[in-house]
Amino acid sequence: MVDSGSDIAARTLPLAGFHGGSWAVRLETAPPAERISLRVRAEDVAALSGALGVDLPVKPKTSAYANGRTALWLGPDEWLVIAEENGGLMQAARNSGALHSAADVSHRNTAILVSGPGAAAAINAGCPQDLSLKAFPVGACSRTVLGKIEIVLLRTAQDAFRVEVWRSFSDYAFGLLAEGAQDASV
C-alpha cells in the first residue's frame, strides 16, 4: 500500500491477477484510479466542475466524462469523481474556491469491469437494477446493491459496465459476478 500522496499506479489492487467470466461475459479488474467522494451545494457546482475539468451532472442517474475524469451523480448534492490517472482531484477541488466536502476514497474502492453480450445478465444475477437500455442507457449510473453489498454501477457502453465496490467486499463481488457470468452463458 502507498501513501495517498504517492503515485496511484503503485497501489496494490485487491483483485490483482483476477480475471474470469464466460464466452458471454468478460470480467477484469479496472486499472488503478483516483477517486473522491464529493458533496457540493447547487450554487457551487459550476465552480467545482471548472476546477475538476468535468461537468458535474445534475440529473439523477447520469454521468459525465472529460479530460480522463468521470463524474457520477449519486444524489442531489453528491458525486463520485474518478480520475484514470493520478489526476490531483483533491488539489483541484481545494483550488476551486467553492464550498464543498471532498474525501479521497481511492484506497477504499476498486472496480470490476464487466463486458460482453451477457454483461447485464451477469450483474442482474445479484442486482435488482433494471439494466435494459431504455431504463439504464449508456452513461447511466446508480448506487445499488449486488448480493449483500452496496456498489456504484456505471454503464460505459451498450454491453459494458463499471462496478465500483469497496475493496473489502471485492472478492465477494467478483465471485458473485463470476457465478452470474457462468449463468449468463447458458
Side-chain angles (χ1 to χ4, degrees), residues 141-181:
C141 64
S142 71
R143 187 182 339 232
T144 185
V145 294
L146 179 69
K148 299 179 182 182
I149 60 173
E150 178 184 301
I151 62 169
V152 173
L153 184 62
L154 170 65
R155 182 175 229 138
T156 57
Q158 183 172 338
D159 64 352
F161 299 84
R162 180 184 184 100
V163 178
E164 284 283 324
V165 60
W166 285 21
R167 65 187 292 128
S168 57
F169 298 119
S170 61
D171 286 346
Y172 172 83
F174 197 94
L176 190 56
L177 289 168
E179 287 181 25

Side-chain angles (χ1 to χ4, degrees), residues 10 14 19 25 27 50-51 64 77 93 116 138 159 176:
H19 63 281
V25 183
L27 300 176
D77 67 347
V138 174
D159 64 352
L176 190 56

Side-chain angles (χ1 to χ4, degrees), residues 3-81:
D3 294 332
S4 61
S6 300
D7 182 11
I8 64 170
R11 181 175 303 129
T12 301
L13 297 175
L15 296 173
F18 277 51
H19 63 281
S22 64
W23 69 265
V25 183
R26 178 183 169 112
L27 300 176
E28 58 187 318
T29 58
E34 181 183 6
R35 299 166 178 85
I36 61 170
S37 176
L38 184 64
R39 304 295 297 256
V40 182
R41 299 178 312 173
E43 58 265 29
D44 294 313
V45 167
L48 263 295
S49 293
L52 293 170
V54 61
D55 290 335
L56 297 175
V58 293
K59 291 172 48 179
K61 245 174 56 176
T62 59
S63 67
Y65 177 84
N67 304 309
R69 296 174 175 182
T70 305
L72 291 76
W73 185 94
L74 298 182
D77 67 347
E78 183 179 5
W79 294 264
L80 176 64
V81 183

Side-chain angles (χ1 to χ4, degrees), residues 87-158:
L89 293 174
M90 289 295 287
Q91 187 63 44
R94 194 173 11 259
N95 292 343
S96 71
L99 182 61
H100 68 279
S101 169
D104 185 335
V105 294
S106 302
H107 292 293
R108 180 191 76 187
N109 284 26
T110 193
I112 302 166
L113 305 177
V114 185
S115 61
I123 294 167
N124 278 150
C127 177
Q129 180 80 46
D130 181 352
L131 296 180
S132 66
L133 277 168
K134 182 177 180 184
F136 206 78
V138 174
C141 64
S142 71
R143 187 182 339 232
T144 185
V145 294
L146 179 69
K148 299 179 182 182
I149 60 173
E150 178 184 301
I151 62 169
V152 173
L153 184 62
L154 170 65
R155 182 175 229 138
T156 57
Q158 183 172 338

